Amino acid sequence: MLQMRPGCECCDRDLPPDSADARICSFECTFCSECANQRLAGTCPNCGGELVPRPSRPAGKLEKFPASTTRVFKSEGCSAVP
């Protein structure tokens, strides 16, 4: 089950579970679409994996399986993998 992390690792923008702007890699590193596209060129700076739209979780399932509340934020910012 996806963690559904609550924010972008680059800019700390809120990304609620129903956000269409969330992008993730296979390790669930989470970024907003702006950072994923503009800063990172679609590649995760942590693992080098592809960043893809995060699937949404149906509202009824969020009650039983809530999204994570743990934020991951790189205060130094992030940049694309060379």
Side-chain angles (χ1 to χ4, degrees), residues 58-75:
K61 297 293 183 185
L62 279 169
E63 291 178 28
K64 186 173 181 180
F65 305 103
S68 174
T69 58
T70 304
R71 294 186 88 86
V72 177
F73 175 60
K74 299 178 184 319
S75 59

Side-chain angles (χ1 to χ4, degrees), residues 4-9 12-23 30-33 54 67 71:
M4 309 287 287
R5 294 179 186 166
C8 177
E9 290 185 27
D12 207 29
R13 176 178 161 199
D14 287 338
L15 295 169
D18 61 350
S19 176
D21 288 329
R23 302 291 181 265
T30 304
F31 305 93
C32 67
S33 60
R54 179 179 71 189
R71 294 186 88 86

Side-chain angles (χ1 to χ4, degrees), residues 24-77:
I24 62 171
C25 70
S26 65
F27 290 96
E28 294 188 61
C29 301
T30 304
F31 305 93
C32 67
S33 60
E34 184 176 331
C35 287
N37 296 331
Q38 310 248 336
R39 293 184 189 179
L40 305 174
T43 301
C44 178
N46 302 321
C47 69
E50 177 184 18
L51 293 172
V52 298
R54 179 179 71 189
S56 60
R57 184 169 297 157
K61 297 293 183 185
L62 279 169
E63 291 178 28
K64 186 173 181 180
F65 305 103
S68 174
T69 58
T70 304
R71 294 186 88 86
V72 177
F73 175 60
K74 299 178 184 319
S75 59
E76 70 280 3

